[in-house]
Amino acid sequence: MSRSQVIPETLSGKRIVNQIRDVLDNVSIPAEQPNKKMIPLSLGDPTTFGNLMTTDIFIKALQKAAASPAAHGYQHTTGSKAAKEAVAKRSAAATGRKVEAADVFLASGCSGALDISLQALASPGDNILLPQPGFALYETLALAHGIEVRHYPLLPHKKWEIDVDALEQLVDDKTRAILVNNPSNPCGSVYSKEHLCDVLAAAERLNLAVIADEIYGNLVFSGETFYSMAELAKNVPVLEVGGLAKEFLVPGLRVGWIIMHDVELEDGQTALQNVRRSALRLTQLTLGANTLVQACMPDILTPKAGSPEERQLAQFNADTIAQLESNAKFVTKRINSMRGLRATTPQGAMYTMVEIDQSQIAMDDVKFTQQLVDEELVFVLPGSCFGMANFVRIVYCAPEEVLAEACDRIEAFLKRLSTAVGN
Ligand SMILES: Cc1ncc(COP(=O)(O)O)c(C=O)c1O
């Protein structure tokens, strides 16, 4: 007998709102032309073009782990002791705080860490404060769990700093946390110590926890200093989330973490004691992060002080940053020489937001993206994907010659536009 009914869509499935998909469903990607290849400057995946490659140390550690049955089995759902100790040791050195393996919860990528953090802090009906523009997954995850989102503005002409006054206006008795993403996707900004202290002071006044998404913390350009929220926070509980994806150029390997930076209360309890308990239970839903990759973490996160491996890892990080910084300078200089576009100078990460001057280019970001990809096969992401219309986000991980070709094509596109309107 053949089936007569389609299985209905579930509530869980329907609750997944994907801002990027919603915008991109209105953009059609043309087929490649024989003499013109598509240049995708849209995905925050540094491996797309093959020019950015992880370190040999990681590859060797993976090979060693692949040959070891101990790295193939289940681990504790929050991660293996050795991997968590490595994350804790590095965090303690970076923040000057006491951090132990018990403060660390490994997850499937930083995305998994964000998912657990949000659910451990907020129940359905509670709300959390998110940056706008911001990484779209924050909202997708929160809404999937019935958590309301409230967006606080980032100020494009003040280096994308947080509008702290506007943020404070959003808070009510159901607000559970402020999510701060520094360095930022999509803005490429790196906040000053003073600014982060202002945000922390607000969190303290409002009695809120902070989720600090610091996945780009080790990808900061020369002349800039990265301060982690945990190193500056005194009376604010901080859930620091991060992962291997960006720093080690391995987004597909899927290991991230939460580090609970707790606050002791006068009665001997701690601010995050329940959050830790919830996070532990939540890891039991997924049974933890990839164990093969966990086995590599001591080697890549905590090489022996003074060893050749330590030097090699430092060099790898310096080379990655140098490449990204040089690409950032190249792209922003080229874009800023074009009439009608203004790129903000990135201070870290792998993104720049480019403003479309509406007085010169009478097109919104979605139309701009569509027409650019149709005519020139250069694919950027509309700012609307991040809640910021009239901007587009460019990822500058590609080799310089590819970026040069993309910029030539954007320039040709703009010239045709201005000729068409007689400018
Ligand atoms: C700000 C930010 N947080 C988290 C993630 C997710 O990282 P992962 O690939 O480790 O899940 C990304 C990925 O692009 C990101 O840009």
Side-chain angles (χ1 to χ4, degrees), residues 17-21 23 114 129-141 149-156 160-162 179-189 191 213 216 351 353 381-389 391 393:
V17 181
N18 185 330
Q19 233 179 332
I20 296 191
R21 263 287 45 98
V23 176
L114 284 162
L129 309 185
L130 299 180
Q132 184 169 21
F135 180 49
L137 186 73
Y138 302 143
E139 180 163 342
T140 305
L141 292 172
V149 299
R150 298 185 178 180
H151 291 106
Y152 61 81
L154 305 184
L155 303 167
W160 299 103
E161 281 192 350
I162 296 169
L179 192 150
V180 178
N181 175 213
N182 177 51
S184 156
N185 173 12
C187 307
S189 47
Y191 293 145
D213 181 347
Y216 299 100
Y351 313 99
M353 285 287 265
L381 277 192
S384 303
C385 292
F386 309 97
M388 198 77 189
F391 281 79
R393 187 194 73 173

Side-chain angles (χ1 to χ4, degrees), residues 38-118:
M38 176 70 75
I39 306 183
L41 304 181
S42 46
L43 261 189
D45 180 348
T47 67
T48 305
F49 294 88
N51 55 322
L52 290 169
M53 170 76 179
T54 195
T55 155
D56 278 354
I57 296 188
F58 205 153
I59 294 171
K60 284 195 190 120
L62 277 169
Q63 285 164 341
K64 195 171 75 185
S68 156
H72 300 175
Y74 290 122
Q75 295 286 357
H76 192 277
T77 58
T78 60
S80 73
K81 190 157 178 282
K84 288 189 292 183
E85 268 169 2
V87 174
K89 190 170 161 201
R90 205 162 81 133
S91 172
T95 61
R97 291 177 74 137
K98 187 163 164 257
V99 187
E100 293 172 345
D103 301 316
V104 177
F105 296 71
L106 299 190
S108 172
C110 186
S111 306
L114 284 162
D115 193 26
I116 293 171
S117 303
L118 290 168

Side-chain angles (χ1 to χ4, degrees), residues 84-372:
K84 288 189 292 183
E85 268 169 2
V87 174
K89 190 170 161 201
R90 205 162 81 133
S91 172
T95 61
R97 291 177 74 137
K98 187 163 164 257
V99 187
E100 293 172 345
D103 301 316
V104 177
F105 296 71
L106 299 190
S108 172
C110 186
S111 306
L114 284 162
D115 193 26
I116 293 171
S117 303
L118 290 168
Q119 291 189 78
L121 281 165
S123 297
D126 291 340
N127 68 71
I128 50 147
L129 309 185
L130 299 180
Q132 184 169 21
F135 180 49
L137 186 73
Y138 302 143
E139 180 163 342
T140 305
L141 292 172
L143 296 181
H145 301 305
I147 301 165
E148 187 199 327
V149 299
R150 298 185 178 180
H151 291 106
Y152 61 81
L154 305 184
L155 303 167
H157 305 298
K158 282 187 78 184
K159 293 188 169 176
W160 299 103
E161 281 192 350
I162 296 169
D163 184 338
V164 180
D165 291 338
L167 179 150
E168 293 204 38
Q169 302 299 315
L170 299 171
V171 174
D172 65 15
D173 61 352
K174 295 257 180 209
T175 308
R176 295 289 167 258
I178 309 172
L179 192 150
V180 178
N181 175 213
N182 177 51
S184 156
N185 173 12
C187 307
S189 47
V190 177
Y191 293 145
S192 67
K193 186 177 182 177
E194 292 67 32
H195 185 55
L196 291 169
C197 286
D198 286 348
V199 177
L200 283 166
E204 187 170 351
R205 268 196 307 280
L206 299 161
N207 215 2
L208 295 176
V210 167
I211 302 175
D213 181 347
E214 299 181 346
I215 190 163
Y216 299 100
N218 285 320
L219 295 177
V220 166
F221 301 158
S222 50
E224 306 292 341
T225 308
F226 167 73
Y227 296 93
S228 77
M229 287 298 235
E231 102 187 73
L232 303 174
K234 292 196 177 67
N235 278 317
V236 177
V238 175
L239 275 68
E240 177 189 334
V241 298
L244 302 175
K246 311 290 175 167
E247 179 182 347
F248 292 97
L249 308 172
V250 291
L253 297 193
R254 315 302 311 134
V255 174
W257 52 76
I258 310 168
I259 307 168
M260 303 267 182
H261 299 281
D262 213 339
V263 174
E264 284 186 18
L265 309 181
E266 275 167 14
D267 59 4
Q269 302 194 81
T270 74
L272 293 177
Q273 65 190 36
N274 292 329
V275 175
R276 288 165 182 268
R277 199 170 304 127
S278 297
L280 168 63
R281 293 203 188 115
L282 287 158
T283 64
Q284 291 162 359
L285 289 177
T286 54
L287 303 190
N290 182 308
T291 53
L292 199 65
V293 182
Q294 288 188 48
C296 305
M297 288 169 71
D299 285 358
I300 56 164
L301 296 180
T302 48
K304 212 163 146 242
S307 66
E309 288 76 18
E310 186 186 48
R311 283 194 294 282
Q312 200 181 325
L313 283 160
Q315 191 58 49
F316 163 73
N317 185 236
D319 292 346
T320 309
I321 292 172
Q323 181 67 69
L324 290 171
E325 184 169 354
S326 151
N327 286 1
K329 283 202 177 117
F330 178 82
V331 168
T332 47
K333 190 161 174 229
R334 283 290 310 268
I335 295 284
N336 285 334
S337 72
M338 299 177 198
R339 211 162 151 233
L341 296 184
R342 203 185 78 88
T344 38
T345 305
Q347 298 161 282
M350 42 187 71
Y351 313 99
T352 178
M353 285 287 265
V354 176
E355 188 168 10
I356 306 168
D357 180 348
Q358 296 296 305
S359 68
Q360 304 203 41
I361 303 173
M363 249 183 210
D364 68 21
D365 52 319
V366 177
K367 182 146 185 251
F368 182 93
T369 301
Q370 180 71 70
Q371 211 161 315
L372 178 65

